[in-house]
Amino acid sequence: MSASAAMLPDGRLHLNHGPIDVVLRAWGDRTEVKRAHAQAAAVFRGVLPDLCRELPLLRRALPAERPRGLVARRMHEAALPFTDRFVTPMAAVAGAVADHLLAALRDGRRLTRAFVNDGGDIALHLEPDQSFRCGVVTDLAAPGLDAVATITAEDWIGGIATSGRAIKTQGGRSFSLGIADSVTVLAADAATADVAATLIANAVDLPGHRAVERVPASSLDPDSDLGDRLVTVGLGTLKPIEIRHALAAGLAEAERFRSRGLIRAAILHLGGARAVCGPAPVAIAA
């Protein structure tokens, strides 16, 4: 299957190649936007072949040798600050693709705003006085707007990513070790947000709890970078205090990442409850 590119009626560009499905858009002078979209489409054709060539390396736990491909390097570099946890570059794959295509969009172009959405992991560009309003959806099976983050250029946020048990079991492309319904992270770039969202979602957990059903990742996908680590495939009823304890564990992980300057904010959801990590400029309002 070859890469495809198609303009949508609302001005967005849809790119697809195998498992990679991207929607992007740029704003600005019409000629600049047209050239930006063409640049992104041209770069996109090489993304999947380049990643496939280095998949064995990208599935190894860090630290590992540095890959050669441009997207693979973004993945590797985004995961490196988190190596005090188990992590592979694959934790950053969707965000790194979004960052790579955003860079292609912006290369030599004058754009006021732009976004690249790779399966829910989003890279953003905002010129001064520009903003985006980004919706947060907790349950893909019953989609609704659970929260809204208003992001301005002055917030220095270039990436948003979401992970969690509900996201992964309802069409997501990887597995979660935790029980969070969803964790959405705002960071300087999408690849970093992608890694952080994965690890925070893993930390929202109740180890050994009878309501949590887990199986080895390898039993679901023999090629998973998680190997035989147990991933969550089902979750029964939890008591309110158990939900609070699980969210507190994830919030502590998010606060550690924020204190190190790795993320700007995060919003965690489990069982109808919410926990928020982040400063006022990126406060998330329902």
Side-chain angles (χ1 to χ4, degrees), residues 43-67:
V43 166
F44 181 70
R45 288 194 290 268
V47 169
L48 185 60
D50 285 352
L51 287 174
C52 288
R53 279 191 285 270
E54 297 194 90
L55 268 181
L57 175 59
L58 296 173
R59 288 172 173 154
R60 294 181 196 168
L62 292 179
E65 65 182 277
R66 190 168 184 253

Side-chain angles (χ1 to χ4, degrees), residues 5-279:
M7 289 300 304
L8 302 177
D10 60 2
R12 295 177 299 161
L13 177 65
H14 178 220
L15 305 174
N16 178 266
H17 196 182
I20 306 178
D21 198 62
V22 172
V23 176
L24 59 84
R25 185 174 181 182
W27 284 261
D29 174 82
R30 181 177 298 180
T31 300
E32 288 290 285
V33 169
K34 184 176 181 180
R35 290 173 177 171
H37 285 174
Q39 289 172 184
V43 166
F44 181 70
R45 288 194 290 268
V47 169
L48 185 60
D50 285 352
L51 287 174
C52 288
R53 279 191 285 270
E54 297 194 90
L55 268 181
L57 175 59
L58 296 173
R59 288 172 173 154
R60 294 181 196 168
L62 292 179
E65 65 182 277
R66 190 168 184 253
R68 296 181 180 181
L70 294 178
V71 177
R73 287 184 180 181
R74 287 182 185 272
M75 295 163 59
H76 181 89
E77 290 164 7
L80 276 178
F82 300 92
T83 51
D84 57 337
R85 303 287 188 266
F86 169 82
V87 67
T88 77
M90 292 301 293
V93 60
V97 170
D99 287 333
H100 185 63
L101 294 177
L102 182 67
L105 268 177
R106 297 184 59 199
D107 187 19
R109 306 272 64 87
R110 297 185 300 275
L111 305 173
T112 58
R113 297 193 301 166
F115 74 82
V116 178
N117 184 337
D118 180 12
D121 293 342
I122 307 169
L124 305 172
H125 165 66
L126 290 166
E127 288 293 298
D129 299 323
Q130 297 291 317
S131 65
F132 278 117
R133 293 182 76 246
C134 303
V136 177
V137 177
T138 303
D139 187 352
L140 295 181
L145 194 60
D146 297 296
V148 175
T150 300
I151 300 169
T152 69
E154 291 69 34
D155 292 322
W156 298 102
I157 290 168
I160 306 173
T162 301
S163 186
R165 176 191 60 83
I167 300 299
K168 300 311 182 185
T169 58
Q170 295 166 11
R173 294 173 291 188
S174 58
F175 305 123
S176 180
L177 307 181
I179 62 173
D181 291 334
S182 70
V183 170
T184 298
V185 169
L186 295 80
D189 57 79
T192 300
D194 198 0
V195 180
T198 297
L199 296 180
I200 296 168
N202 287 348
V204 178
D205 200 11
L206 295 169
H209 196 287
R210 63 185 180 280
V212 185
E213 181 184 356
R214 308 180 200 263
V215 299
S218 58
S219 70
L220 301 173
D221 179 3
D223 296 323
S224 172
D225 60 321
L226 297 176
D228 292 333
R229 286 173 174 79
L230 297 179
V231 298
T232 304
V233 294
L235 181 63
T237 302
L238 299 176
K239 298 176 182 178
I241 191 171
E242 294 170 330
I243 292 173
R244 290 196 296 271
H245 285 165
L247 283 174
L251 185 61
E253 187 84 320
E255 292 289 1
R256 280 193 289 271
F257 294 162
R258 190 168 74 90
S259 70
R260 295 172 56 197
L262 296 171
I263 68 172
R264 287 296 310 277
I267 179 168
L268 297 67
H269 286 100
L270 173 63
R274 174 187 301 168
V276 177
C277 163

